[in-house]
């Protein structure tokens, strides 16, 4: 008994077209993905949070060495605000939460916000 040849599996809609010779025509599609919007974590000055605590927080949550953390803290103290780091949106939000949590637990009014970086 002659059996029918097996039917090839159905091709997905995006499958490349084939010509009669069986050659595969690959369509070139350049994919352009925009880089993610970045957010800077900005710390604000106040009159009560001890400088040592701010330096500790910057070292702890923004991976800065003591000298850099001190430099950033002094900038905040003098200018009213300063950037501690630049991250993607979710990471920046996590840093803000960590700082606010640590400050609250220590009883300091330290404030920290994240804002989109101007491009
Ligand atoms: N101004 C604070 C003081 O004199 C120190 C300080 C620095 C507080 C930076 C907050 O984000 C800050 N003790």
């Amino acid at each position: 008994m002659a059996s029918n040849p097996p039917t090839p599996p159905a091709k997905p809609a995006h499958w490349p077209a084939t010509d009669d010779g069986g050659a595969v025509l690959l369509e070139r599609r350049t994919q352009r993905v925009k880089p993610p919007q970045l957010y800077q974590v900005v710390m604000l000055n106040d009159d009560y949070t001890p400088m040592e605590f701010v330096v500790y927080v910057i070292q702890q949550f923004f991976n800065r060495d003591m000298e850099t953390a001190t430099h950033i803290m002094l900038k905040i103290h003098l200018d009213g605000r300063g950037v501690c780091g630049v991250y993607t949106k979710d990471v920046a939000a996590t840093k803000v939460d960590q700082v606010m949590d640590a400050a609250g637990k220590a009883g300091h009014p330290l404030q920290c916000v994240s804002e989109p970086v101007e491009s």
Side-chain angles (χ1 to χ4, degrees), residues 43-52 54-55 58 72-78 80-82 109-111:
M43 207 173 280
L44 308 176
N45 188 37
D46 66 71
D47 292 337
Y48 305 102
T49 304
M51 290 182 172
E52 301 72 33
V54 178
V55 172
I58 295 171
I72 294 171
M73 182 280 295
L74 284 174
K75 187 199 183 308
I76 302 166
H77 178 72
L78 295 172
R81 52 184 269 144
L110 183 62
Q111 295 292 310

